[in-house]
Amino acid sequence: MSIYRDPEKIAAYLESWIKEKFAEAGASRAVLGISGGIDSALLAALLAKALGPENVTGVMMPCHSMPIDEEYAALLADAIKIKRAKVDLSAVYDAEVAALEAGGAKPDGLAAANIKPRLRMITLYSIAQQQGALVCGGGNKDEITMGYFTKYGDSGVDLLPLADLLKGEVWAVAEYLSVPREIINRPPTAALWEGQTDEAEMGLTYKELDAYIATGEASEAAKEKIERANKRSAHKRLFPPMAKLPDNL
């Protein structure tokens, strides 16, 4: 028996859910980042079906990125006929790193890489505010379980329509909605640095992650990695703790 749910039913449910959430917010337009990856591609396709492609803006935000990413993002936007915009954040990123260095806090490693998704979050909200739109994110269940996202970066959105989808379901629904095959076949990557892939960075395959999330079954090594990552990243899935003063203060 497959651990994956029917892609046609998933697509129909999420189209209805998106319409409901936008109606509740009194909004009719959506803004999302498009990277040429499978998650943002599926999200864009679902938003286009639910809201109409004329009400969806996909924003390409290169930041010392590989040119191929922009080519795939443009391919997606043209295929599903959504609006697209481009904001090159490379110079902004360089200025931020230079300012940190001047202040004695030069970032490296993940601290430097995570500046990029946080700049993208700022960009999306600026565009959305001008349009009266909601910012939508493409985080899926695997990434959320592992904490494989940047706090106040790609998780800084108004809606997460794919949050309950296993990665295998993301691929299946994308295929059902005729997302370009070139995007479906791309190795998943956050594109934080050249050659980076999700599975290599996590040390797990999406097949292993899907199986564990759906059934609890995995090798002992995979279980240990997933449970450790889930525990370590718990703060990412919670609103910051808020102090409440006692009544007798």
Side-chain angles (χ1 to χ4, degrees):
M1 181 177 176
S2 175
I3 62 173
Y4 301 125
R5 293 160 289 190
D6 182 83
E8 183 177 359
K9 291 180 179 178
I10 292 173
Y13 176 83
L14 290 178
E15 182 180 346
S16 175
W17 184 88
I18 289 167
K19 288 178 179 177
E20 177 185 334
K21 294 303 175 186
F22 272 78
E24 288 174 1
S28 60
R29 296 180 181 179
V31 170
L32 75 155
I34 51 172
S35 62
I38 186 65
D39 298 308
S40 63
L42 173 57
L43 176 61
L46 286 167
L47 290 169
K49 279 183 65 66
L51 306 175
E54 69 280 4
N55 291 314
V56 181
T57 300
V59 187
M60 299 179 288
M61 296 171 283
C63 188
H64 297 301
S65 308
M66 294 177 288
I68 190 67
D69 294 338
E70 189 175 329
E71 292 175 21
Y72 278 109
L75 170 67
L76 168 72
D78 291 344
I80 61 176
K81 297 178 169 50
I82 61 171
K83 297 177 181 179
R84 59 175 158 125
K86 177 182 173 180
V87 181
D88 193 325
L89 297 172
S90 300
V92 180
Y93 173 84
D94 291 343
E96 174 66 14
V97 170
L100 286 166
E101 184 174 9
K106 181 181 179 180
D108 57 12
L110 277 177
N114 281 331
I115 292 172
K116 297 178 181 182
R118 290 180 175 128
L119 290 175
R120 289 172 176 140
M121 180 272 292
I122 294 169
T123 304
L124 291 175
Y125 269 99
S126 178
I127 293 170
Q129 190 166 11
Q130 295 174 61
Q131 296 185 1
L134 297 182
V135 177
C136 297
N140 60 60
K141 195 167 189 175
D142 290 37
E143 293 170 343
I144 292 168
T145 297
M146 290 289 288
Y148 191 66
F149 55 88
T150 300
K151 193 173 185 178
Y152 305 124
D154 46 334
S155 66
V157 297
D158 297 312
L159 295 177
L160 285 166
L162 312 185
D164 195 41
L165 270 61
L166 298 170
K167 191 70 173 188
E169 292 171 330
V170 171
W171 277 309
V173 180
E175 187 166 359
Y176 171 73
L177 292 180
S178 300
V179 166
R181 174 59 57 183
E182 299 95 320
I183 293 175
I184 293 174
N185 290 341
R186 285 191 84 192
T189 174
L192 295 179
W193 57 81
E194 189 172 354
Q196 184 257 357
T197 66
D198 295 356
E199 292 180 323
E201 189 179 358
M202 291 188 293
L204 293 160
T205 67
Y206 275 115
K207 185 175 180 179
E208 288 175 300
L209 258 174
D210 283 355
Y212 178 78
I213 294 169
T215 69
E217 297 178 3
S219 68
E220 287 305 314
K223 282 183 183 179
E224 196 275 332
K225 281 184 181 179
I226 296 167
E227 290 170 2
R228 184 176 69 245
N230 181 264
K231 183 177 181 180
R232 188 175 61 241
S233 63
H235 66 97
K236 292 185 174 184
R237 294 179 290 273
L238 299 172
F239 205 74
M242 294 180 284
K244 187 179 185 307
L245 300 180
D247 294 336
N248 63 352
L249 190 65

